[in-house]
Amino acid sequence: MKGKRTDFGGADCAIARALNIIGDWWSLLIVREAFHGRQRFGEFQKRLGLAKNILSSRLKKLVQEGIFSTEKDDLTSGHRYVLTPKGENLCIVLIALWQWGEAHCFAPGELPSEMIDTRRGRPLQVLHLRDSTGRRIGPREFRLAAKSSRPADRAGVSE
Amino acid sequence: MKGKRTDFGGADCAIARALNIIGDWWSLLIVREAFHGRQRFGEFQKRLGLAKNILSSRLKKLVQEGIFSTEKDDLTSGHRYVLTPKGENLCIVLIALWQWGEAHCFAPGELPSEMIDTRRGRPLQVLHLRDSTGRRIGPREFRLAAKSSRPADRAGVSE
């Protein structure tokens, strides 16, 4: 049976694997700070105000998981934590969280900041689920399926 | 100064507020199960295999936060947990996590399942950051800004 069973609940689920890496409050907030330009231990510590041992263990795991690489810091005796491409791709998770939080966790007018593009200075487009043709779909219009249940032909899959 | 300062690190951050609600592994996996049609305590418990007291506390918080509403269960003496619109909108966070996990947490060909749209049975379009005109932007082309630093004119903001 091994190899045929699709276990949506365990390690075969991409959500579960992603959460295994970044599924803790502090890890995603550290990544958020990195997007804001922070690179040094002291900068993360000052911004997040968390205990040094916790920050240290989270950074260590994020390096092990390939979210950050470390580079020698010319200014201090330590090193800098630099987002890898894998880490940078977490931007979509952060923006999804931001937009959901913006829509559901603030009173109208309460949120004093916004995510803007650096070129035009305008709010980012709201993320929407879309099928492979680009049509917007709702939260009840997608499902998980075993790949073997679908023809192997991937033609027409748009990204 | 109050009201002028934009504290990106604390409760004024939409990411922090979102994570305060769903920023724990189990809560998002419970929501994932709800998207798979699970509604009953026993169903969540069986699928996730977590301790009943932990599941109970997470479900209680998710109801308090308006992610689930409860409805009387005609089949059992308990009730069903039904995603609210606020809960259903978490689909974008789950799909962002799925797609990141799919891209970065599996060897090629290792992932046996995929997220498809129910109508055409094709993989969902990959989520991308886009500016207000719809142009794709990279992970270094957005930033957080105080709303007061931008003209109040919101014309042209596309969703």
Side-chain angles (χ1 to χ4, degrees), chain A residues 24-25 28-29 97, chain B residues 14-24 61:
Chain A
D24 113 290
W25 163 290
L28 266 185
L29 291 184
L97 281 167
Chain B
I15 294 169
R17 284 212 192 175
L19 289 173
N20 196 31
I21 297 176
I22 45 92
D24 113 289
K61 180 172 182 184

Side-chain angles (χ1 to χ4, degrees), chain A residues 22-69:
Chain A
I22 45 91
D24 113 290
W25 163 290
W26 288 120
S27 296
L28 266 185
L29 291 184
I30 290 167
V31 172
R32 180 197 66 181
E33 290 305 314
F35 275 106
H36 292 168
R38 257 63 81 173
Q39 295 190 322
R40 295 178 177 88
F41 189 94
E43 292 172 331
F44 292 121
Q45 214 265 322
K46 187 178 173 189
R47 287 289 306 175
L48 296 171
L50 80 172
K52 288 182 178 178
N53 61 331
I54 295 178
L55 176 59
S56 182
S57 72
R58 293 303 185 283
L59 281 170
K60 188 177 175 187
K61 179 171 182 183
L62 290 170
V63 171
Q64 284 172 342
E65 297 287 0
I67 307 295
F68 286 113
S69 61

Side-chain angles (χ1 to χ4, degrees), chain A residues 107-126:
Chain A
E110 188 195 3
L111 182 62
S113 54
E114 57 193 352
M115 288 288 183
I116 63 173
D117 73 277
T118 50
R119 193 165 75 166
R120 300 177 72 249
R122 293 270 173 190
L124 302 188
Q125 200 171 75
V126 173

Side-chain angles (χ1 to χ4, degrees), chain B residues 16 19 23 34 42 45 59 70 73 101 107 136 139 153-154 156 159:
Chain B
L19 289 173
Q45 214 266 323
L59 281 171
T70 53
D73 187 358
R136 270 179 63 174
D153 168 29
R154 296 291 288 263
E159 299 199 355

Side-chain angles (χ1 to χ4, degrees), chain A residues 42-156:
Chain A
E43 292 172 331
F44 292 121
Q45 214 265 322
K46 187 178 173 189
R47 287 289 306 175
L48 296 171
L50 80 172
K52 288 182 178 178
N53 61 331
I54 295 178
L55 176 59
S56 182
S57 72
R58 293 303 185 283
L59 281 170
K60 188 177 175 187
K61 179 171 182 183
L62 290 170
V63 171
Q64 284 172 342
E65 297 287 0
I67 307 295
F68 286 113
S69 61
T70 54
E71 295 182 7
K72 190 171 173 299
D73 186 359
D74 293 334
L75 289 179
T76 73
S77 59
H79 43 248
R80 296 180 294 114
Y81 295 88
V82 181
L83 285 172
T84 64
K86 179 177 178 178
E88 289 198 330
N89 283 346
L90 280 171
C91 65
I92 202 78
V93 175
L94 287 175
I95 296 298
L97 281 167
W98 174 275
Q99 292 181 343
W100 184 81
E102 185 176 33
H104 294 288
C105 304
F106 289 84
E110 188 195 3
L111 182 62
S113 54
E114 57 193 352
M115 288 288 183
I116 63 173
D117 73 277
T118 50
R119 193 165 75 166
R120 300 177 72 249
R122 293 270 173 190
L124 302 188
Q125 200 171 75
V126 173
L127 296 169
H128 291 292
L129 297 187
R130 294 180 189 276
D131 70 13
S132 59
T133 68
R135 184 181 70 93
R136 270 179 64 174
I137 60 173
R140 290 294 170 190
E141 294 182 279
F142 70 89
R143 67 181 177 87
L144 202 54
K147 281 185 178 169
S148 57
S149 69
R150 200 171 63 81
D153 168 29
R154 295 290 291 261

